[in-house]
Amino acid sequence: MKKSILKLGLLAAVLSFQTACNTALELEPTSVITNASFWKTEDDAKGGLTSLYVKQRDLANINLFIWGEARSEVMEWGKVSGTLDYDRYYLNTLSSVSAGPSWQSIYSAINDANLILKYVPNITFANETDKNNLLAQTYVSRAFLYFVLVRTWGEVPIRTEPVEGAEPDVIQKVRSSQQDVFKLIKEDLEKANSLFASYGFIKNRNYWSKAGTQALKADVYLWTAKRLNGGNADLQTAITACDDVAKADVSLLANYADLFKYSNKNNKEVIMAIGNKELESSNNYFFNMYSARLPNEIDPNTNEVIGQTAGGMVWTVTDLAKNQFKPGDLRKAASVLDLPAPALYPTLILKGRGTLISGVRYYTSDFVIYRYADVLLMKAEAKNALGQDPSLEMNQIRQRAFGSAFDANRFVNGSKAQNDQLILQERLLELMFEGKRWWDLLRFNKAFDLVPTLAGKSSLKHLEYFPISEQVLSLEPLVKQTVGY
């Protein structure tokens, strides 16, 4: 009995922990803040939303990349340092005792959302539009978090009540069906969409907006259309959502490389990005994709491109992925850089190399959740699934990618299967290292065909999901491990 109570207490502590800011200061508490005393003012509500965004940023530092891309054919050992156990992802050797990031951090963020949705409706705001926008951001945040959960683990517990104590019926939940999880996601998206006042961005593009809601909606309905038998209706909803994104102030940048310049954050192509800032947040996952040292024979021009380096090169891009860039594709030079002596200095990933301050490199590039090129490719995918011609969207992407060489690389409509193959490849080249590839492979049902470490394992469907860690199983006795792990 004591053991069960201890488990409940530990889980409650994990899920109910809140902070309104991200600070390294350690202060002695002068008072005890409870939910009953905290949720009183507009500032309290804004503090709760800040906590929710901070936890989404924590997820974006590395976990979203691990769940969304690390198990694909994109990454391999960097040969310069150790593996940091990242090899379990690209080698696909996960198990319950080596499961990768657990879902506890996601549920902690969901708990912040649930607290906001419980208490904020009863708080008076000076401006009702501000209140509605805050609630809308909360609903779409919760939808996004559950979307990460359901794609990563399949059936997951649904928690819509905040954990504020140790009540077993609130804490302990069984895994719900994917259909039920997506029902909640879609309901939250509709609530968010109805609450946003306009297609304008809130402060900047580091906050969920109506456009971000529509981008997420397109992603969700494309997934349910192809993975949960949503059929043509869901495909059409995805296309409509993509069209709705275009109502906002978004467009493709003329130069692909400009997307990733540190000085060009919040550019017009960005729809939603998790914001990072030097001296405010820790290095993100790109830290381990950038070399700590350079070969002596490096030429001055390359040295200028790289600048001051720091990091461990724990992993890098595979030749399989990198070599799919065709001659003339301008995206390659903006994404990767091959150094002299490749046996000693593997390919550097350039997209997220952050910024230099006083000779120190800070890997605090934003983690882009959605940008307009992604939306155009989702629309192309949905149109092709409906038997429509995706050439318009595909060629918008290729025109920027190839510039003056576009005519020789123009997309030409073919069969559904041919188009699917090209659309999936286009997503690889356009969105490489942006935390998309694993989920793209699952949506196209190509993980077992295109990931070398999964070859010949198509009968092991549980490998499409991450295992549930032993830690989570010990804290949540009603949760059962995914069959096969």
Side-chain angles (χ1 to χ4, degrees):
M1 180 65 179
K2 289 182 179 179
K3 187 176 180 181
S4 297
I5 293 173
L6 177 59
K7 289 179 179 178
L8 292 173
L10 286 171
L11 182 61
V14 170
L15 292 174
S16 62
F17 177 79
Q18 305 174 58
T19 179
C21 62
N22 188 23
T23 176
L25 294 178
E26 298 281 347
L27 300 177
E28 291 296 321
T30 57
S31 64
V32 176
I33 299 176
T34 66
N35 285 330
S37 63
F38 177 74
W39 298 98
K40 298 295 184 183
T41 68
E42 183 174 338
D43 284 342
D44 292 342
K46 292 176 179 177
L49 183 64
T50 298
S51 175
L52 177 56
Y53 275 117
V54 166
K55 290 182 179 180
Q56 289 178 81
R57 183 175 68 187
D58 291 344
L59 290 172
N61 277 347
I62 187 167
N63 288 1
L64 291 181
F65 179 77
I66 287 175
W67 293 322
E69 188 148 355
R71 294 181 62 197
S72 71
E73 80 276 41
V74 169
M75 303 303 296
E76 67 177 5
W77 181 41
K79 302 180 182 70
V80 172
S81 302
T83 67
L84 282 185
D85 287 334
Y86 291 171
D87 53 338
R88 58 183 159 166
Y89 305 123
Y90 50 79
L91 295 179
N92 280 288
T93 58
L94 295 172
S95 68
S96 61
V97 296
S98 183
S102 82
W103 66 35
Q104 287 172 294
S105 56
I106 304 180
Y107 278 113
S108 179
I110 287 173
N111 198 62
D112 279 11
N114 290 340
L115 285 164
I116 293 170
L117 296 176
K118 176 179 179 179
Y119 288 104
V120 170
N122 298 319
I123 295 175
T124 300
F125 277 56
N127 186 316
E128 193 69 14
T129 297
D130 291 341
K131 180 177 180 178
N132 287 340
N133 278 338
L134 188 150
L135 290 170
Q137 292 173 73
T138 305
Y139 275 118
V140 69
S141 293
R142 189 170 73 172
F144 171 70
L145 292 165
Y146 271 111
F147 191 38
V148 173
L149 280 169
V150 74
R151 289 181 296 175
T152 305
W153 287 280
E155 297 179 345
V156 294
I158 292 177
R159 294 184 169 100
T160 55
E161 298 175 70
V163 176
E164 301 176 88
E167 298 86 352
D169 60 329
V170 175
I171 298 173
Q172 300 296 352
K173 300 285 187 180
V174 300
R175 298 173 74 176
S176 295
S177 70
Q178 293 192 47
Q179 287 79 5
D180 285 344
V181 177
F182 274 104
K183 181 175 182 292
L184 174 63
I185 291 170
K186 291 176 179 180
E187 288 172 350
D188 279 357
L189 289 173
E190 292 310 310
K191 290 173 183 175
N193 189 57
S194 67
L195 287 166
F196 280 119
S198 70
Y199 274 93
F201 290 96
I202 299 170
K203 296 182 181 178
N204 57 46
R205 297 166 196 245
N206 297 138
Y207 297 84
W208 284 105
S209 62
K210 197 177 184 75
T213 302
Q214 294 299 328
L216 176 56
K217 183 177 180 179
D219 207 356
V220 165
Y221 276 85
L222 196 53
W223 186 275
T224 56
K226 302 179 78 171
R227 297 277 294 181
L228 292 177
N229 301 313
N232 290 352
D234 282 6
L235 291 169
Q236 187 57 59
T237 299
I239 290 174
T240 301
C242 290
D243 290 339
D244 286 341
V245 170
K247 296 176 181 178
D249 183 21
V250 295
S251 61
L252 292 181
L253 296 192
N255 181 11
Y256 184 80
D258 289 345
L259 282 166
F260 312 105
K261 291 180 179 177
Y262 200 81
S263 59
N264 200 31
K265 291 184 177 185
N266 277 278
N267 60 71
K268 282 198 173 186
E269 187 160 332
V270 174
I271 299 167
M272 170 59 188
I274 302 293
N276 286 295
K277 190 174 181 180
E278 65 278 2
L279 308 179
E280 180 180 285
S281 59
S282 59
N283 288 322
N284 60 27
Y285 62 95
F286 286 107
F287 174 80
N288 287 316
M289 299 178 183
Y290 215 76
S291 180
R293 52 202 170 99
L294 296 175
N296 294 330
E297 66 272 23
I298 194 164
D299 63 274
N301 289 336
T302 303
N303 190 53
E304 180 66 26
V305 171
I306 296 171
Q308 178 69 34
T309 63
M313 283 298 283
V314 170
W315 49 1
T316 188
V317 64
T318 63
D319 287 342
L320 175 62
K322 180 181 64 177
N323 291 343
Q324 292 186 54
F325 286 107
K326 296 179 180 179
D329 192 333
L330 302 173
R331 294 172 296 192
K332 183 176 182 180
S335 302
V336 298
L337 177 65
D338 289 318
L339 296 174
L344 295 175
Y345 302 95
T347 303
L348 296 185
I349 282 75
L350 298 179
K351 275 189 175 181
R353 58 195 177 123
T355 188
L356 281 173
I357 299 178
S358 301
V360 177
R361 183 170 292 282
Y362 293 87
Y363 296 86
T364 48
S365 297
D366 286 0
F367 184 92
V368 178
I369 303 294
Y370 291 110
R371 56 185 177 88
Y372 193 52
D374 186 3
V375 171
L376 288 173
L377 289 172
M378 284 194 286
K379 184 176 179 181
E381 182 182 344
K383 286 175 68 174
N384 186 58
L386 287 171
Q388 300 174 18
D389 184 355
S391 296
L392 176 62
E393 292 74 24
M394 285 287 286
N395 282 322
Q396 287 182 70
I397 301 299
R398 288 199 177 182
Q399 189 158 28
R400 177 176 68 179
F402 288 96
S404 60
F406 167 64
D407 284 340
N409 293 279
R410 184 185 298 272
F411 174 86
V412 178
N413 188 36
S415 69
K416 270 189 180 183
Q418 291 170 333
N419 290 349
D420 255 0
Q421 180 181 357
L422 293 173
I423 292 168
L424 180 58
Q425 183 184 50
E426 205 69 41
R427 288 187 63 82
L428 169 67
L429 303 175
E430 178 70 28
L431 303 167
M432 197 179 293
F433 317 124
E434 297 182 43
K436 301 280 184 178
R437 183 60 176 176
W438 177 252
W439 288 325
D440 284 351
L441 291 170
L442 293 185
R443 197 174 61 250
F444 280 82
N445 195 28
K446 289 295 183 180
F448 295 102
D449 296 331
L450 298 180
V451 180
T453 56
L454 291 175
K457 299 179 181 180
S458 59
S459 62
L460 305 178
K461 299 297 285 184
H462 67 280
L463 295 178
E464 294 183 337
Y465 302 103
F466 277 64
I468 301 171
S469 70
E470 294 288 349
Q471 180 189 27
V472 168
L473 293 173
S474 71
L475 291 172
E476 302 198 50
L478 298 183
V479 170
K480 306 302 179 186
Q481 181 62 271
T482 300
V483 176
Y485 280 111

